[in-house]
Amino acid sequence: MDKIKIRIDKEDIELLEFMPTFYKVAEITNLLLEKMKQGMKTWTSEEIYIKMQVSVWVVNDTRVNAFATYYEGKNYIALTVGLCDAFWNAIEDFVGNKNFSKVFYLTPEKEEDYKKVLYMYMLNFVLAHEFGHIVHGHLWTDSNRKWLEELYVDGKMSSAQDNWISQLREYDADSFAAMINANIMIKYWNENIEVLKSTFDILFIVLYLCFDVFARKTNRDFSQYLEKEWDAYDHPYPGIRMYYSSIALCNLVLGVKGENETTSEVIYHGFNAIISYERQVLEKEQIKESYFAVAGTEKGVQHIMNLVNGWNEVVDKYNQHSYIQISKTDKVEFMSYFIGENGEFI
């Protein structure tokens, strides 16, 4: 197995080609990573991909983390063993929840395959997220720090301005990754509406599980989100990330398949799957308990609007370093919210 060392912030980091086989999820992880390394070549043109000099690696670290970095003329994406393990555990908790059958129907013989599909799209999302950081020039806005990571270290606080810049990058990388996953799903478009709804539900579930893992496992406490300023955090609130990522994947579906009864039903079903999951499976009824509910409050909606509009304001700067042209998103002038005065779902 190949391994190399790179230097990040005066620290040598050993990168492994694959996860060591003594980890329980090594076999499935290594198989999927091998396929994804090939699939990444389709995320941009062959000319740009060669120019990027990007590769994917594993770090034998039990902390939950992923990062993108530029080192000695090459770009690197790395996932920790801890992240892969946390993803798989989240899937097992999701499928194994006592209330799972209240919302989702899954026969016992299909359970393992379903978990593998979720795991594949979760890994693919985080790889595409880090790829987005690289391809859109996020690593080059600070000449002294050409790396971005997901891990939050206690005591390593940033200024409000730095936090907001970080949130804008996360917004862009999340949106890029959501569209990559959606594009893969579109290739398997099925005329059977029930198959379509089940297939696209996976995209929404993957967003929920990914952002939930990062919120709970990287020492970020979002419990006071509604009381604090947006820029108190270096990453957006999980529900906020779910909401704007869902918008990105929906826009892609509508752009490719058109706005019609089928696409509307598929999209509605995906949103409803998450709302039903929080209410019926996790039994979250009040606003502060629910990621998606918080994102639907007046503050959450305003936060999303500011992220969309804020990113548009800095696109030109990132285009100076991006490997591909970054397009601006239509300004968000109005978004409705769906939470009652007492914090109940409408």
Side-chain angles (χ1 to χ4, degrees):
M1 179 170 63
D2 288 345
K3 57 184 178 180
I4 61 172
K5 282 189 177 181
I6 62 173
R7 196 163 184 79
I8 296 179
D9 210 20
K10 299 181 180 180
E11 180 182 357
D12 288 331
I13 306 292
E14 184 175 69
L15 304 180
L16 307 176
E17 184 180 14
F18 294 109
M19 182 184 292
T21 56
F22 51 78
Y23 288 103
K24 71 173 184 178
V25 293
E27 183 177 358
I28 181 176
T29 302
N30 292 338
L31 178 63
L32 291 174
L33 287 179
E34 182 61 33
K35 292 181 178 179
M36 291 173 187
K37 289 175 183 179
Q38 298 302 315
M40 281 174 51
K41 297 176 182 178
T42 67
W43 294 352
T44 186
S45 68
E46 182 179 3
E47 178 183 1
I48 295 298
Y49 186 81
I50 293 173
K51 184 178 180 181
M52 288 176 67
Q53 290 289 291
V54 62
S55 56
V56 175
W57 302 84
V58 175
V59 182
N60 193 10
D61 187 336
T62 57
R63 293 176 297 176
V64 173
N65 198 14
F67 63 80
T69 188
Y70 181 85
Y71 179 73
E72 294 187 345
K74 296 181 180 180
N75 288 294
Y76 297 88
I77 294 172
L79 313 180
T80 63
V81 168
L83 172 65
C84 298
D85 191 54
F87 275 179
W88 186 258
N89 289 338
I91 292 167
E92 291 198 317
D93 290 343
F94 169 70
V95 175
N97 189 292
K98 61 181 174 60
N99 296 324
F100 181 85
S101 60
K102 290 183 178 180
V103 177
F104 306 100
Y105 174 74
L106 184 64
T107 58
E109 59 269 19
K110 292 184 178 180
E111 185 173 303
E112 287 305 310
D113 286 340
Y114 185 70
K115 290 195 291 188
K116 290 177 182 177
V117 169
L118 287 176
Y119 188 55
M120 176 185 70
Y121 279 100
M122 289 176 73
L123 287 180
N124 200 71
F125 182 87
V126 75
L127 287 179
H129 175 98
E130 302 306 328
F131 190 96
H133 279 315
I134 296 170
V135 77
H136 281 181
H138 297 178
L139 303 182
W140 289 89
T141 54
D142 184 341
S143 60
N144 297 318
R145 189 178 186 273
K146 292 185 174 57
W147 65 288
L148 295 172
E149 63 172 342
E150 301 302 319
L151 185 68
Y152 179 83
V153 180
D154 286 334
K156 191 178 178 181
M157 303 300 292
S158 299
S159 67
Q161 179 62 22
D162 287 342
N163 282 342
W164 185 243
I165 292 172
S166 175
Q167 284 199 39
L168 292 177
R169 292 174 185 156
E170 294 305 306
Y171 159 76
D172 183 50
D174 286 339
S175 300
F176 180 89
M179 289 189 288
I180 290 292
N181 265 2
N183 191 53
I184 294 172
M185 284 294 196
I186 288 172
K187 293 178 181 178
Y188 298 98
W189 193 266
N190 192 299
E191 296 306 316
N192 185 319
I193 187 63
E194 295 305 318
V195 173
L196 265 181
K197 288 190 291 188
S198 297
T199 301
F200 275 84
D201 281 356
I202 291 173
L203 291 179
F204 290 84
I205 293 166
V206 162
L207 293 177
Y208 191 99
L209 295 180
C210 281
F211 296 141
D212 179 56
V213 167
F214 277 121
R216 289 187 299 104
K217 300 295 184 178
T218 56
N219 299 328
R220 292 182 177 88
D221 180 8
F222 287 103
S223 61
Q224 301 299 311
Y225 168 77
L226 287 172
E227 289 75 32
K228 290 187 175 182
E229 298 296 325
W230 301 322
D231 51 18
Y233 306 93
D234 65 335
H235 282 49
Y237 175 80
I240 299 296
R241 301 179 77 175
M242 286 167 50
Y243 206 131
Y244 64 60
S245 297
S246 299
I247 292 172
L249 72 86
C250 290
N251 284 341
L252 181 65
V253 172
L254 294 173
V256 174
K257 291 297 180 179
E259 189 170 350
N260 51 61
E261 185 177 345
T262 298
T263 54
S264 297
E265 189 171 353
V266 166
I267 289 170
Y268 172 82
H269 200 269
F271 278 107
N272 189 59
I274 293 303
I275 294 172
S276 299
Y277 171 63
E278 288 203 305
R279 290 189 66 182
Q280 298 181 52
V281 179
L282 298 183
E283 299 178 331
K284 295 184 176 183
E285 288 293 336
Q286 294 302 310
I287 184 172
K288 287 188 177 182
E289 299 176 339
S290 167
Y291 288 157
F292 215 72
V294 169
T297 61
E298 186 172 7
K299 176 179 180 177
V301 170
Q302 187 65 49
H303 190 173
I304 296 167
M305 290 171 61
N306 283 7
L307 284 166
V308 175
N309 297 336
W311 176 249
N312 284 337
E313 293 174 2
V314 299
V315 163
D316 291 339
K317 179 178 71 173
Y318 285 95
N319 265 325
Q320 297 175 31
H321 306 290
S322 177
Y323 288 93
I324 60 177
Q325 186 71 18
I326 310 172
S327 299
K328 292 185 178 181
T329 307
D330 291 339
K331 288 194 69 174
V332 180
E333 300 294 352
F334 173 79
M335 294 177 68
S336 61
Y337 53 99
F338 49 87
I339 302 300
E341 293 181 357
N342 297 320
E344 76 280 8
F345 288 91
I346 296 176

